[in-house]
Amino acid sequence: MIYLDNAASTAMHEEIVKEMLPYFCEHYGNPSSIHKIGRVAHNAIHNARKKIASLINAEPEEILLTSGGTESNNAALYGIAYSKKGNHIITSSIEHEAILEPCKQLEKEGFKITYLSVDNQGLVNPDDVKKNISYDTCLVSIMFANNEVGTIQPIEKISKICRQKQVAFHSDAVQAIGKTLIDVKKLNTDLLSISGHKIYGPKGVGALYVKKGLEIIPFILGGGQENGLRSGTENVASVVGLGKACLLAKENFEQNISYLKKLRDILASKIIVEIPHVTYNGHQTQRIPNNAHFTFFGVNGEDLIIKLDENGIAASTGSACSVMTQKASHVLQAMGFSHEKITGSLRLTVGLNNTEEEIIKTVEIIKNVVKELREVSPFKAKYGF
Amino acid sequence: MIYLDNAASTAMHEEIVKEMLPYFCEHYGNPSSIHKIGRVAHNAIHNARKKIASLINAEPEEILLTSGGTESNNAALYGIAYSKKGNHIITSSIEHEAILEPCKQLEKEGFKITYLSVDNQGLVNPDDVKKNISYDTCLVSIMFANNEVGTIQPIEKISKICRQKQVAFHSDAVQAIGKTLIDVKKLNTDLLSISGHKIYGPKGVGALYVKKGLEIIPFILGGGQENGLRSGTENVASVVGLGKACLLAKENFEQNISYLKKLRDILASKIIVEIPHVTYNGHQTQRIPNNAHFTFFGVNGEDLIIKLDENGIAASTGSACSVMTQKASHVLQAMGFSHEKITGSLRLTVGLNNTEEEIIKTVEIIKNVVKELREVSPFKAKYGF
């Protein structure tokens, strides 16, 4: 199988699994226990936290451990909203559902949410952030890179505006982490969401960077772990795995990015050149290095995925999360795409385990499958397939 | 090391780890993806859900997957409270912090919470539940078995009262699961919390049983996983682990219980007989089979834990979660224990990995350590140590 759905989830790195294993049957203590086996678990969490912090140039005590990117996003939004510093939140119309759905919930509770529009490359205009900030704005939440089209937002500019206006700034960096430089000190962000399973770590673990001094209301309450900000017995093995994933992402940062970019660029350029009636969607340069997003006109994306699956290629039309709901992508709609352009979309996201041979083979298969589907397309006459 | 803190966390069963391993590097798909590797993950979740349901005689679709017992408890409380069927919740004064802290939060939001008292064995009186239910009561939440003293509550009676009064009933069964028979159909409970790492499964995964037809407001929002009730990419490997843990707990139910009970009874009877000025706390018979809880008068529990740790025994004064806060146990306070009785308390919780030899050795070590500590006790004259 050729796996080109690395934005949905990645295969775990074997070294990460190896690092986690002792925490299942050997160092199984509860980090809150004061005896030796508890302290071993406690120290493991401490060391992992340092590695997670290091990847984004944060301090270890600024890293809040969570059950994943979705919880991190929920915790950030509710954490600021309920701290009652204002009744207005600014976000974008192309955020992940883990931002949009809590926003809808907050709207029901009386908060006002501004959903900023994006241009046809998926970019938020920082001036729009500036224009919409009012005395009542408590939070701006703009994703670092989009999960469907890969566009990287002008985070530094947006963060700067928020700093000037003294409004907290959160960024969902689940897709960006390890794929573009993120330095929270330099960017001056207040909150940033991270997930383990998008960077070759385990599923079910993530982190929320919370800038020192920023007050947030805790989301999950109980035994008071994570300085009272996130209760529940720490997921020791998975946190160790997330730590190792962050360490590897940092150590191999440049080479990972150039490798992903090389594969992605071969994929994109070959498809654009060799297949007619195709568009390469998203920002042409300002995008994460693993993402390629296309529209094959006259083809139904779902049919394409199924045909590719039959041919041993794992791909996606967009976000994995929205597949089940069968709704047209809100991201592509916000980018102003026509129904036809949305229908023919395909997301291919490369990973570190992919090879150049796989990419070449993939292009050949896509060429044949697209041709085959266009033979029976209702748009055959329109485009002269 | 002799590990006698199995109520805080258990060593994972090697068969469970083995079952999880393929889901790290091989079957790493996102369960929401429609391609083959996504479907493999989806099916793994489906099969695990059946095993989890089977342990408590629920239907698979009644199992909501969570990041652990704490999230399950939070999701149950907020899930019912926010569904606006009433403004009053009844719980007990000896619940875990994962119940008490969300209750405090709900109080801040205007809910009225009744904290039922318990007797000196840690029992809630079902009549108190009955008496306190009003037209405005939306939920009764009473733990199945206490995490400190192990007392099993009269859940069937309480559940029956809630049924008659048409009030939803939740039970935190984190400590009880696998250690006493739980049949949600027979008990007629509405909600029940489960955790993986207390039953030889992984940390960071749990479940909430939600009776078919019961409406709860989702706690974590996003991509709409778990029928919209719990968003976030499913923690596939850990869910598979939880499934296996539940299967093993069911298959070996009788023998596990009798083995734990045998070890615990040896431990308790030897300590009571061989050490003077000791009480065996909690209910003498109505308790989970792995729990033994004592007071050694004239001894400081913290000192005892440290001395035992030096002698290779992992024990606890009470809940692992509350160790960090250094607060006197709210459970023992609610049971009417004097400050002195609370101070000298020790919890020993046996597990399937313990042996009879370990238990015998433990008693000898405790005997010596208690004697040693009593030599320098300020209560030496009082008790004539």
Side-chain angles (χ1 to χ4, degrees):
Chain A
M1 188 209 36
I2 301 174
Y3 186 72
L4 292 172
D5 201 9
N6 288 280
S9 202
T10 53
M12 279 187 71
H13 195 300
E14 277 178 19
E15 271 187 53
I16 297 175
V17 178
K18 209 174 138 194
E19 193 119 339
M20 289 167 64
L21 283 180
Y23 295 91
F24 290 131
C25 302
E26 194 185 339
H27 309 310
Y28 51 81
N30 186 319
S32 297
S33 298
I34 56 173
H35 47 63
K36 191 171 171 234
I37 193 164
R39 295 195 305 270
V40 169
H42 183 84
N43 291 341
I45 296 279
H46 180 69
N47 289 331
R49 201 187 301 274
K50 284 199 275 190
K51 293 173 192 164
I52 300 162
S54 174
L55 178 60
I56 56 169
N57 195 26
E59 301 302 315
E61 59 272 28
E62 294 176 320
I63 299 299
L64 184 64
L65 300 168
T66 70
S67 71
T70 292
E71 186 195 321
S72 293
N73 284 340
N74 278 249
L77 291 170
Y78 294 128
I80 293 294
Y82 296 156
S83 65
K84 294 181 179 171
K85 281 167 194 142
N87 209 41
H88 175 227
I89 292 170
I90 298 172
T91 187
S92 85
S93 48
I94 61 161
E95 299 293 311
H96 189 273
E97 286 84 356
I99 292 290
L100 296 176
E101 292 297 322
C103 280
K104 280 187 206 163
Q105 174 59 31
L106 287 168
E107 275 186 297
K108 282 186 206 163
E109 296 173 22
F111 284 84
K112 192 174 166 268
I113 316 281
T114 300
Y115 300 92
L116 298 180
S117 60
V118 294
D119 68 13
N120 61 7
Q121 299 188 100
L123 277 178
V124 168
N125 186 342
D127 286 342
D128 288 345
V129 176
K130 201 171 188 170
K131 270 184 256 171
N132 281 282
I133 290 177
S134 78
Y135 72 97
D136 206 20
T137 309
C138 61
L139 178 70
V140 172
S141 178
I142 304 288
M143 70 200 321
F144 217 107
N146 184 265
N147 54 313
E148 294 191 33
V149 296
T151 303
I152 298 174
Q153 299 299 335
I155 294 298
E156 197 166 355
K157 284 184 188 164
I158 297 169
S159 186
K160 201 175 165 188
I161 291 164
C162 294
R163 187 67 39 214
Q164 287 166 345
K165 300 271 190 179
Q166 292 184 294
V167 170
F169 176 59
H170 167 253
S171 186
D172 171 3
V174 164
Q175 292 291 344
I177 202 88
K179 292 173 205 89
T180 185
L181 192 70
I182 300 182
D183 178 328
V184 290
K185 288 202 176 65
K186 188 166 164 271
L187 292 170
N188 220 339
T189 49
D190 295 290
L191 298 142
L192 191 113
S193 300
I194 297 173
S195 165
H197 76 109
K198 311 287 191 188
I199 53 167
Y200 312 94
K203 294 181 176 66
V205 69
L208 178 65
Y209 159 76
V210 184
K211 195 181 192 164
K212 217 182 289 179
L214 181 74
E215 197 207 334
I216 62 164
I217 301 297
F219 179 52
I220 299 185
L221 298 173
Q225 286 87 348
E226 299 293 288
N227 287 320
L229 289 179
R230 204 294 186 182
S231 291
T233 300
E234 297 89 339
N235 189 349
V236 184
S238 297
V239 168
V240 166
L242 176 61
K244 181 73 176 180
C246 288
L247 181 72
L248 291 176
K250 191 184 175 181
E251 284 179 350
N252 309 312
F253 187 71
E254 299 294 345
Q255 73 212 60
N256 284 356
I257 286 183
S258 68
Y259 185 69
L260 294 173
K261 194 172 179 306
K262 188 183 86 175
L263 294 187
R264 193 270 318 273
D265 287 349
I266 295 171
L267 180 68
S269 59
K270 276 183 130 3
I271 283 180
I272 296 162
V273 170
E274 298 181 19
I275 302 178
H277 302 293
V278 63
T279 55
Y280 184 46
N281 307 321
H283 200 284
Q284 303 301 300
T285 54
Q286 217 167 298
R287 75 193 297 154
I288 41 175
N290 67 329
N291 176 291
H293 191 282
F294 308 95
T295 295
F296 298 93
F297 284 91
V299 166
N300 184 309
E302 299 286 322
D303 296 344
L304 189 49
I305 303 296
I306 292 162
K307 280 276 176 201
L308 289 177
D309 191 31
E310 286 169 10
N311 282 275
I313 295 172
S316 163
T317 52
S319 148
C321 296
S322 62
V323 165
M324 298 298 178
T325 55
Q326 295 271 346
K327 281 186 289 191
S329 158
H330 68 279
V331 174
L332 304 183
Q333 283 181 320
M335 287 165 70
F337 285 23
S338 67
H339 179 70
E340 195 195 334
K341 193 168 177 183
I342 294 173
T343 304
S345 67
L346 178 77
R347 181 184 73 179
L348 299 172
T349 44
V350 300
L352 297 173
N353 296 339
N354 291 126
T355 63
E356 205 171 318
E357 290 69 42
E358 285 182 337
I359 300 302
I360 307 289
K361 197 176 162 194
T362 297
V363 175
E364 287 311 306
I365 291 170
I366 291 177
K367 217 192 292 185
N368 293 334
V369 167
V370 167
K371 200 176 168 193
E372 200 181 312
L373 289 170
R374 281 176 173 168
E375 283 296 325
V376 293
S377 169
F379 295 91
K380 202 176 166 182
K382 179 178 174 186
Y383 293 102
F385 294 142
Chain B
M1 188 208 38
I2 302 175
Y3 187 72
L4 291 172
D5 202 9
N6 287 279
S9 201
T10 53
M12 279 187 70
H13 195 300
E14 277 178 19
E15 271 187 53
I16 296 174
V17 178
K18 209 174 138 193
E19 192 119 340
M20 287 167 65
L21 284 178
Y23 294 91
F24 290 131
C25 303
E26 195 185 338
H27 309 310
Y28 51 80
N30 186 320
S32 296
S33 298
I34 56 174
H35 46 62
K36 192 173 170 231
I37 192 164
R39 295 194 304 270
V40 170
H42 182 84
N43 290 341
I45 296 278
H46 181 69
N47 289 331
R49 202 187 300 274
K50 283 199 273 189
K51 292 173 192 163
I52 301 163
S54 173
L55 178 60
I56 56 169
N57 195 26
E59 301 302 315
E61 60 272 27
E62 294 176 319
I63 299 299
L64 184 64
L65 300 167
T66 70
S67 71
T70 292
E71 186 195 321
S72 293
N73 283 341
N74 277 249
L77 290 171
Y78 294 127
I80 293 295
Y82 296 157
S83 67
K84 295 181 178 168
K85 280 168 196 140
N87 208 41
H88 176 228
I89 292 170
I90 298 171
T91 187
S92 86
S93 48
I94 61 161
E95 298 294 311
H96 190 272
E97 287 82 357
I99 292 291
L100 296 176
E101 292 297 321
C103 280
K104 281 187 205 164
Q105 175 58 31
L106 289 167
E107 275 186 296
K108 284 186 204 162
E109 296 172 23
F111 284 86
K112 192 174 164 266
I113 315 282
T114 300
Y115 301 93
L116 298 179
S117 60
V118 294
D119 67 14
N120 61 6
Q121 300 188 99
L123 277 178
V124 168
N125 185 343
D127 286 342
D128 288 346
V129 175
K130 200 171 189 171
K131 272 185 256 171
N132 281 281
I133 290 177
S134 77
Y135 73 96
D136 206 20
T137 309
C138 60
L139 178 70
V140 172
S141 179
I142 304 290
M143 71 200 319
F144 217 106
N146 184 266
N147 53 315
E148 294 191 32
V149 295
T151 303
I152 299 174
Q153 300 300 335
I155 294 298
E156 196 165 355
K157 284 184 189 166
I158 296 169
S159 186
K160 202 176 166 188
I161 291 164
C162 294
R163 187 68 39 213
Q164 285 166 344
K165 300 273 191 176
Q166 292 184 294
V167 170
F169 176 60
H170 167 253
S171 186
D172 171 3
V174 163
Q175 292 290 345
I177 202 89
K179 291 172 206 89
T180 186
L181 192 70
I182 301 183
D183 178 328
V184 291
K185 288 203 174 66
K186 190 166 162 272
L187 291 171
N188 220 338
T189 49
D190 295 290
L191 298 141
L192 190 113
S193 300
I194 297 173
S195 166
H197 76 109
K198 311 286 191 188
I199 53 168
Y200 312 95
K203 293 180 178 65
V205 68
L208 178 65
Y209 159 77
V210 184
K211 195 182 193 164
K212 217 181 291 178
L214 182 74
E215 196 205 335
I216 63 165
I217 302 298
F219 179 52
I220 299 184
L221 297 173
Q225 287 87 348
E226 299 291 289
N227 287 320
L229 289 180
R230 204 295 186 182
S231 291
T233 300
E234 298 88 339
N235 189 349
V236 184
S238 296
V239 168
V240 166
L242 177 60
K244 182 71 175 179
C246 288
L247 181 71
L248 290 176
K250 192 184 174 182
E251 284 179 350
N252 309 312
F253 188 71
E254 299 294 344
Q255 72 213 60
N256 285 355
I257 286 184
S258 68
Y259 185 69
L260 294 173
K261 195 171 179 306
K262 187 183 86 173
L263 294 187
R264 194 270 317 272
D265 287 349
I266 294 171
L267 180 68
S269 59
K270 276 182 130 5
I271 283 179
I272 296 163
V273 169
E274 298 181 19
I275 302 177
H277 302 293
V278 62
T279 56
Y280 184 46
N281 307 319
H283 199 283
Q284 303 301 301
T285 55
Q286 219 167 295
R287 73 194 296 157
I288 41 175
N290 66 330
N291 175 291
H293 191 282
F294 308 94
T295 294
F296 297 94
F297 284 90
V299 166
N300 184 309
E302 298 287 322
D303 297 343
L304 190 50
I305 302 295
I306 292 163
K307 280 276 175 200
L308 289 178
D309 191 31
E310 285 169 11
N311 283 275
I313 296 173
S316 163
T317 52
S319 148
C321 296
S322 62
V323 165
M324 299 297 177
T325 56
Q326 294 271 343
K327 280 188 289 190
S329 157
H330 69 280
V331 174
L332 303 182
Q333 284 181 319
M335 287 165 71
F337 284 22
S338 66
H339 179 70
E340 195 194 335
K341 194 169 177 182
I342 293 174
T343 303
S345 66
L346 178 77
R347 180 184 75 179
L348 299 172
T349 44
V350 300
L352 297 173
N353 296 339
N354 291 126
T355 62
E356 205 171 317
E357 290 69 44
E358 286 182 335
I359 300 301
I360 307 289
K361 196 177 162 194
T362 297
V363 175
E364 287 310 306
I365 292 170
I366 292 178
K367 218 192 290 184
N368 294 333
V369 166
V370 167
K371 201 176 166 191
E372 200 182 313
L373 290 170
R374 281 177 173 168
E375 283 297 325
V376 294
S377 168
F379 295 91
K380 201 177 169 185
K382 179 178 172 186
Y383 292 103
F385 294 144

